[in-house]
Amino acid sequence: MGASKTESFSAEQNEMAILFKALSHPARIAIVDYLLKVDSCICGDIVNELPLAQPTISQHLKELKNANLIKGTIEGTSICYCINPDTVAKIENHFSMIRYKLKNKCC
Amino acid sequence: MGASKTESFSAEQNEMAILFKALSHPARIAIVDYLLKVDSCICGDIVNELPLAQPTISQHLKELKNANLIKGTIEGTSICYCINPDTVAKIENHFSMIRYKLKNKCC
DNA sequence: TTATTTTATCGTAATATTGCAATATAAAAA
DNA sequence: TTTTTATATTGCAATATTACGATAAAATAA
């Protein structure tokens, strides 16, 4: 064993888990933070911003892209990354739903 | 290597990563869903609700507890679990901040 | 007391993630 | 063309996660 029993859960549960997994590493949080900090989409200098080697950052960017959290557009020699607002909205909605359901609770 | 370079990132980045990691597995999403679905806190029957063995669920509950996403109170023979609204609010605030910062973007 | 019930822990196998050196790819610059 | 620059991929070692059988712990019930 060892693998997640993905097939035992609903499509939405798996989808949300994939989104949260993409955000479950401090380097990927830092990448999102950086994309938010700068005024526009960022072409190239993510590698200089984080204390990780270039292949490692490339891998983290790939995971964020696979989860649809960021979009990358080729811009000459470099790639221009920015956050996908639709995916952010999807996670926000999930928590709005949680907050709504929590209203009727005791605890 | 293989371990996360936790020390290279800010306390808040690590804290958020820990919260998202706790939610990065469909079984743990399903547990949260179930705690929200039922009207009150749940004593005992989580194991019957999910297609996983009891030790596995116990482990997932422990991770949700460690991340402060759920609270467990001993209630006779069983344990009464419910969601911690403070932690939910913390994640919500994180996304409110993201949405706010995204407003000034182009993309 | 001895069951029974409920949850936790231990041990371990299978699998996944993390990080990076080395290398590859692709486009622009010289 | 060759060189430079930016990003991606490969391969691998170190570590973490997932799942569960076996077992323990702790409280109630009989």
Side-chain angles (χ1 to χ4, degrees):
Chain A
M1 322 275 155
S4 291
K5 293 181 97 178
T6 300
E7 73 287 355
S8 303
F9 302 99
S10 76
E12 214 204 309
Q13 286 167 341
N14 279 301
E15 194 185 0
M16 291 313 298
I18 286 169
L19 284 182
F20 291 130
K21 180 174 277 177
L23 291 169
S24 74
H25 192 285
R28 295 194 287 270
I29 298 282
I31 289 172
V32 170
D33 280 356
Y34 182 61
L35 289 177
L36 288 165
K37 199 181 73 182
V38 293
D39 253 356
S40 62
C41 300
I42 269 313
C43 306
D45 53 354
I46 297 178
V47 171
N48 303 316
E49 274 295 312
L50 297 184
L52 294 171
Q54 180 268 325
T56 307
I57 290 176
S58 183
Q59 194 177 301
H60 284 307
L61 286 169
K62 192 181 180 182
E63 284 172 65
L64 288 170
K65 262 185 288 179
N66 286 344
N68 253 303
L69 274 159
I70 63 173
K71 291 182 282 193
T73 342
I74 297 169
E75 194 82 33
T77 331
S78 58
I79 292 181
C80 209
Y81 286 109
C82 56
I83 290 173
N84 185 347
D86 295 347
T87 309
V88 171
K90 187 178 282 183
I91 301 176
E92 262 195 301
N93 291 342
H94 186 79
F95 280 100
S96 300
M97 182 273 287
I98 290 180
R99 159 136 31 168
Y100 177 77
K101 290 188 179 169
L102 269 181
K103 268 186 189 162
N104 312 318
K105 303 278 171 194
C106 44
C107 304
Chain B
M1 319 276 160
S4 292
K5 292 182 95 178
T6 300
E7 73 286 355
S8 303
F9 301 99
S10 77
E12 215 205 307
Q13 286 167 341
N14 280 301
E15 195 185 358
M16 291 312 299
I18 286 169
L19 285 182
F20 291 130
K21 181 175 277 179
L23 292 169
S24 73
H25 192 286
R28 295 194 287 272
I29 298 282
I31 289 173
V32 170
D33 280 355
Y34 182 61
L35 289 177
L36 288 167
K37 198 181 72 180
V38 293
D39 251 358
S40 63
C41 300
I42 269 313
C43 306
D45 53 353
I46 296 178
V47 171
N48 303 315
E49 274 294 313
L50 297 184
L52 293 170
Q54 180 268 325
T56 307
I57 291 176
S58 184
Q59 195 176 300
H60 284 306
L61 286 169
K62 192 182 181 183
E63 283 172 66
L64 287 170
K65 261 185 289 180
N66 285 344
N68 254 301
L69 273 159
I70 64 173
K71 291 182 283 193
T73 344
I74 296 168
E75 194 82 30
T77 331
S78 57
I79 292 181
C80 208
Y81 286 109
C82 56
I83 291 174
N84 185 346
D86 295 346
T87 308
V88 172
K90 187 178 283 182
I91 302 176
E92 263 195 300
N93 290 342
H94 186 80
F95 280 99
S96 299
M97 183 272 288
I98 288 180
R99 157 131 38 167
Y100 178 76
K101 289 187 180 171
L102 269 181
K103 268 185 189 162
N104 311 319
K105 302 278 172 195
C106 44
C107 303

